Amino acid sequence: MNRNLLISLVDKVVRVDRGGPESRIGKLLTAGEDHFVLLTEKDGIVYYKTQHIKSITVNSRDGMEFKVDDPEDDSYLLPTNFKTVVSNFLHQWVKVNRGGPEMLEGIMEEVTDDYITIFSKDEIIRLAMYHVRNISLGTSKKEEENKNEGNNETTNNNTTNNNSVNNKGRNARNRKR
């Protein structure tokens, strides 16, 4: 993708790629030499390497609704090239190549000109830098599970409380009969 084209699309809602697991809709925040930054509803801020982008769509017929507030200017990285973006995620939990069969999630341990190293579960994965299509900061699965458990406990407590109220109502009705 041409950088001038990407700069002309800054602050517009676009679809990256036409479909498939890598396709995303979001607001294009900025463009660098070889990458751009996209704000998405589902994944937050995602950094895409332009080399792997097949298409960018603006104002598609099916409408690209986007209801996310703009982030603060200092909440995302503005480096000039993609390797610098990736290097800034060193020792952090990241998601790489989201959605496809090559999706990785784990702690970024090393970044070189040729590859990145990610610790994921019990594996040490080296991925060729050329094959990194997109990257973002992620939350660990434990953090997500803890959030979900907290939500489930709240739901379970509400259900238990509602059942108690319903049982009290039934007991009162049964006593009156």
Side-chain angles (χ1 to χ4, degrees):
M1 281 286 142
N2 180 309
R3 183 169 187 233
N4 292 332
L5 169 68
L6 291 171
I7 289 172
S8 73
L9 297 174
V10 168
D11 291 331
K12 291 189 169 88
V13 177
V14 299
R15 173 180 286 136
V16 176
D17 293 334
R18 298 294 303 149
E22 295 286 330
S23 178
R24 292 290 186 270
I25 293 175
K27 185 174 187 178
L28 203 145
L29 299 176
T30 189
E33 289 175 6
D34 59 353
H35 72 285
F36 62 91
V37 182
L38 190 73
L39 174 64
T40 67
E41 288 184 32
K42 180 181 175 185
D43 301 314
I45 296 172
V46 182
Y47 300 84
Y48 280 88
K49 190 188 297 186
T50 55
Q51 170 183 11
H52 294 289
I53 302 304
K54 295 175 186 137
S55 67
I56 291 187
T57 305
V58 182
N59 297 333
S60 71
R61 279 184 259 149
D62 63 349
M64 293 185 283
E65 291 190 27
F66 186 72
K67 298 175 182 163
V68 176
D69 293 332
D70 286 352
E72 309 237 347
D73 286 339
D74 61 350
S75 65
Y76 56 94
L77 303 171
L78 299 170
T80 56
N81 62 47
F82 191 73
K83 183 183 179 226
T84 306
V85 169
V86 174
S87 296
N88 278 298
F89 292 147
L90 202 57
H91 305 296
Q92 295 186 51
W93 191 272
V94 296
K95 287 185 179 182
V96 179
N97 298 345
R98 59 199 356 80
E102 292 297 316
M103 194 272 295
L104 293 174
E105 189 173 12
I107 296 174
M108 176 86 67
E109 182 57 32
E110 182 180 15
V111 178
T112 71
D113 288 337
D114 297 323
Y115 64 89
I116 61 172
T117 303
I118 294 181
F119 291 149
S120 179
K121 298 177 186 169
D122 295 330
E123 299 177 319
I124 299 171
I125 303 163
R126 290 183 178 82
L127 177 65
M129 185 65 87
Y130 174 82
H131 292 291
V132 177
R133 293 185 294 272
N134 56 61
I135 189 167
S136 69
L137 286 175
T139 56
S140 71
K141 291 190 181 199
K142 277 189 177 182
E143 288 176 26
E144 287 180 15
E145 287 172 8
N146 289 340
K147 283 182 191 177
N148 289 337
E149 284 177 15
N151 290 340
N152 288 341
E153 286 176 14
T154 303
T155 303
N156 290 339
N157 288 341
N158 289 342
T159 303
T160 302
N161 291 340
N162 288 341
N163 288 341
S164 297
V165 169
N166 289 340
N167 288 337
K168 287 178 186 175
R170 279 191 212 117
N171 290 340
R173 282 190 302 251
N174 289 338
R175 276 187 247 133
K176 288 180 183 177
R177 289 185 190 167

